[in-house]
Amino acid sequence: MSPLAFVLTLSCYRRWPSRFSTPYSHNLLVLFSSTATTITPPNRNESPSSGPAPPPIRVALTESTGRAVFATRRIGAGDTIHTAKPIVSHPSLSAITTVCYFCLKKINAVTASQSQGVYFCSENCKESSKVFYDVEKKADWLAFDDYCRTQGLKYPLLVKRLACMVISGAAPAGILDILQPANLTQGMILKQEVLTKQWYTDVLARIRINAFRIELAAGVYEDLLSLASASIEAEAAVGNAIYMLPSFYNHDCDPNTHIVWIENADAKLKALRDIDEGEELQICYIDASMSYDARESLLSQGFGFKCNCLRCMSGD
């Protein structure tokens, strides 16, 4: 079965136009804020027997930026705010033989499990990958991957994996509907339109501005403070992923929060400095060390907005 035929099959699974007809409704934001409690690790001053505490955050609507994340109590510098597992992730094609095809963990060639040219770091990841890989293996994706490689595209890879998850029944077709979509020009769509149908365009529009670039880092947390939370450039990244709650964080060129990946695609949101109760938590979508002009250009072209943070307003 060809990749195009897979997307035609996918359309049969989309039995509803959208589960979220009103984006960012209050009830939905409360839902995602509360469900994050299941993945939040204990704070440093919490006893092991007390169990995980709710994340010290809430998601709310703002007049200027739409949804945003705010602290519900004081958060200390270096504290883990919450963790997040990806909704969907995919390794970079340049790293396809060096990281786990499921969790993106760097692999040991001796102990890795191989399956049709891809590798898994453990039997558990190999088993977990069946939510998309059993479907993916039924089509020849060579032309698809070659096109993405030669064009330097990464977002269609995430769309491909999500399509396979939907076809397998592991994810609903509208799982990303709550996320903010990008304003795609016809040129952007045509350049990346390996798969077709309106579903592809809808998903691509959300993936384009919500995908996080993953750079796995070794060493202790103190060595990670210079990592950018996301980038629209793909070089040197081991892969890309979409998360639900982290996608609600707004951008600031002088952020108080950042995302790190220690071992695999599971993300950790950490405070870069002390954060007061009620303060908005923000991350930097790009490399914060760039000049003002470079940041302005990258944010405009890659994310479709002009940054009005204090740093940019001062021309720094």
Side-chain angles (χ1 to χ4, degrees):
M1 184 182 292
S2 69
L4 176 58
F6 263 56
V7 179
L8 296 176
T9 303
L10 172 64
S11 64
C12 298
Y13 284 80
R14 190 168 190 182
R15 298 189 178 95
W16 56 91
S18 173
R19 294 179 302 147
F20 309 124
S21 57
T22 304
Y24 322 124
S25 70
H26 175 72
N27 290 338
L28 285 171
L29 295 179
V30 172
L31 171 65
F32 282 107
S33 181
S34 62
T35 53
T37 60
T38 60
I39 58 172
T40 303
N43 293 325
R44 291 175 297 184
N45 59 354
E46 189 178 76
S47 64
S49 61
S50 63
I57 58 174
R58 64 182 178 89
V59 180
L61 294 173
T62 65
E63 293 184 1
S64 58
T65 59
R67 81 284 183 270
V69 180
F70 296 88
T72 57
R73 61 166 172 78
R74 185 183 179 280
I75 302 171
D79 282 354
T80 296
I81 301 168
H82 67 88
T83 62
K85 291 185 176 297
I87 299 172
V88 58
S89 62
H90 196 286
S92 299
L93 293 177
S94 60
I96 205 78
T97 60
T98 60
V99 299
C100 176
Y101 199 54
F102 180 75
C103 77
L104 310 191
K105 180 179 180 179
K106 292 184 178 179
I107 57 174
N108 183 325
V110 176
T111 60
S113 175
Q114 186 178 11
S115 178
Q116 297 186 0
V118 298
Y119 297 84
F120 299 96
C121 67
S122 65
E123 287 301 316
N124 182 57
C125 278
K126 187 175 182 179
E127 182 67 23
S128 298
S129 73
K130 289 184 176 182
V131 297
F132 61 84
Y133 197 48
D134 283 353
V135 174
E136 183 182 318
K137 288 186 295 185
K138 295 177 182 178
D140 182 1
W141 296 95
L142 181 61
F144 179 97
D145 289 345
D146 283 347
Y147 181 84
C148 291
R149 184 180 289 107
T150 57
Q151 297 296 319
L153 303 177
K154 57 185 179 179
Y155 304 126
L157 299 171
L158 291 168
V159 179
K160 176 188 76 172
R161 180 160 293 185
L162 184 59
C164 292
M165 292 169 63
V166 171
I167 292 172
S168 73
I175 192 170
L176 300 185
D177 284 3
I178 194 174
L179 300 183
Q180 175 71 28
N183 293 320
L184 298 180
T185 65
Q186 188 63 25
M188 292 177 182
I189 296 172
L190 291 176
K191 181 181 178 182
Q192 307 199 52
E193 193 170 4
V194 185
L195 304 177
T196 59
K197 291 291 186 182
Q198 187 62 40
W199 181 87
Y200 172 82
T201 303
D202 291 345
V203 170
L204 176 64
R206 285 162 175 80
I207 286 178
R208 181 174 177 81
I209 60 171
N210 290 287
F212 288 86
R213 171 190 178 183
I214 300 176
E215 292 180 343
L216 301 185
V220 296
Y221 169 68
E222 286 72 16
D223 296 329
L224 307 175
L225 294 179
S226 62
L227 286 179
S229 64
S231 173
I232 65 169
E233 298 294 337
E235 291 80 0
V238 301
N240 298 275
I242 300 291
Y243 304 87
M244 186 59 70
L245 191 53
S247 293
F248 293 158
Y249 282 70
N250 286 318
H251 166 82
D252 194 293
C253 292
D254 186 20
N256 54 17
T257 307
H258 74 154
I259 299 182
V260 295
W261 295 269
I262 308 298
E263 191 174 56
N264 55 33
D266 292 352
K268 291 181 179 291
L269 278 289
K270 287 183 172 287
L272 285 170
R273 57 171 174 76
D274 291 343
I275 300 171
D276 295 328
E277 179 180 349
E279 184 177 348
E280 182 177 355
L281 279 67
Q282 297 169 313
I283 59 178
C284 187
Y285 294 174
I286 57 175
D287 183 354
S289 67
M290 294 189 300
S291 67
Y292 167 75
D293 289 339
R295 298 196 314 272
E296 183 178 41
S297 175
L298 196 53
L299 290 170
S300 176
Q301 296 177 19
F303 297 89
F305 69 87
K306 177 178 175 59
C307 183
N308 293 314
C309 71
L310 293 176
R311 182 182 173 192
C312 286
M313 293 294 286
S314 68
D316 180 11

